[in-house]
Amino acid sequence: MQNKKIVILGTGGTIAGVASQASNNIDYTAAQVGVSDLVGAIAGLNLIETEQVAQIDSKDMSFEVWTVLANRIQHHLMQNDVQGVVITHGTDTLEETAYFLQAVLNPSKPVVLTCAMRPASALAPDGPQNILDAVTVARHEGAHGVMVVCAGDLHSALDVQKIHTYQLNAFGSGDAGLIGFIEENTLNKVRNWPLAQQIQAQTATENIAFLNAVRAWPKVEIVMNYAGANGALVDALVALGVQGLVVAGTGNGTVHQALEAALLNAQAKGILVVRATRCTQGRVLPRVDDRFPSSNGLSPVKARIELMLKLMKITS
Ligand code: SIN
């Protein structure tokens, strides 16, 4: 295993960002440094191959980039001499990319996304250590599935969520907790690897073929419940031809009666409606009088991805 290579795919983000002053951690431009330069500056990394898949601020993540990324990951994972894949990514939509990749690829080898909260030009950039830690995870015996490494913590794609705007340790895994910690180039696990979904080995290839052929992804949007919410946004989205709606409800997925009326109207027209919660912890639990199915523990952004994949009939 140890003589196999790790492929590091670059997509941009703060980890590749540059500011005009080293002391400035905010006014930088993301996605400026190539992944080969980022990796080349880290001593002690052996048997590494790099590839620049995209160079974007992840707030601008697109279905096109996701499709290219899924293709390139699958290509590399299928090579016998590749042990795993690491992806450098912006923190802002990292949890969405991680969930998408897990749902589509369900890889039997490790796919580890990593990131940084300080640009590459910072006095003390966090990116190099995060890359090193991600490679440690990708080389770990038995590692598989899509995971996220940030600030020494290892998260599963299912549970990870960005929970802080500024601190280096910007991610949490809520009630599920971390898979483990990366300490001094060693992964110390505190729970099992996430369960693999029950999909066929060839499904990833089929899913990718389907993604490559799809002309337009389904229109699925997120609406939120809040004090004084009404149905105007939902009505407008229905008029625009939305195919699915995720409602980020309050508490246990509750929805203002005016918003609920509009969502019921949408549902009656055949639009798929899923109920998630705007709470960052906990899951929506079923109740006897539920009008909309729950997101099965998925956050609103992940429930949206799940709904798009369902509408495209992609297995996850
Ligand atoms: C991005 O998400 O690309 C920018 C922000 C970050 O990486 O922290």
Side-chain angles (χ1 to χ4, degrees), residues 137-192:
V137 172
R139 287 212 183 282
H140 194 90
E141 186 77 38
H144 63 269
V146 181
M147 293 168 279
V148 169
V149 162
C150 183
D153 290 350
L154 178 60
H155 307 261
S156 81
L158 186 65
D159 303 304
V160 69
Q161 203 169 357
K162 187 171 180 183
I163 55 170
H164 205 284
T165 56
Y166 186 75
Q167 289 177 1
L168 299 188
N169 195 349
F171 290 87
S173 275
D175 297 339
L178 301 172
I179 301 172
F181 301 94
I182 306 100
E183 295 155 325
E184 297 299 312
N185 302 320
T186 303
L187 169 61
N188 293 311
K189 284 173 65 217
V190 292
R191 70 170 171 102
N192 287 334

Side-chain angles (χ1 to χ4, degrees), residues 11-16 28 30-31 56-60 89-94 115-118 162 165:
T11 69
T14 295
I15 194 167
Y28 59 86
I56 58 169
D57 186 319
S58 82
K59 71 179 174 56
D60 300 321
H89 196 291
T91 60
D92 286 347
T93 57
L94 183 144
C115 55
M117 290 295 285
R118 302 285 176 264
K162 187 171 180 183
T165 56

Side-chain angles (χ1 to χ4, degrees), residues 201-266:
Q202 77 212 47
T203 302
T205 309
E206 289 171 359
N207 285 344
I208 286 179
F210 194 91
L211 282 177
N212 291 341
V214 89
R215 297 182 80 126
W217 283 42
K219 290 189 178 67
V220 178
E221 301 295 342
I222 300 172
V223 293
M224 187 185 272
N225 192 49
Y226 37 75
N230 61 57
L233 268 179
V234 169
D235 293 344
L237 289 168
V238 170
L240 286 170
V242 76
Q243 292 158 273
L245 286 166
V246 175
V247 56
T250 27
N252 190 29
T254 55
V255 178
H256 189 291
Q257 54 192 350
L259 179 56
E260 183 182 69
L263 288 168
L264 284 170
N265 182 41

Side-chain angles (χ1 to χ4, degrees), residues 92-110:
D92 286 347
T93 57
L94 183 144
E95 70 212 59
E96 295 177 57
T97 300
Y99 186 80
F100 163 75
L101 293 173
Q102 176 60 41
V104 169
L105 302 175
N106 191 21
S108 57
K109 291 181 182 179

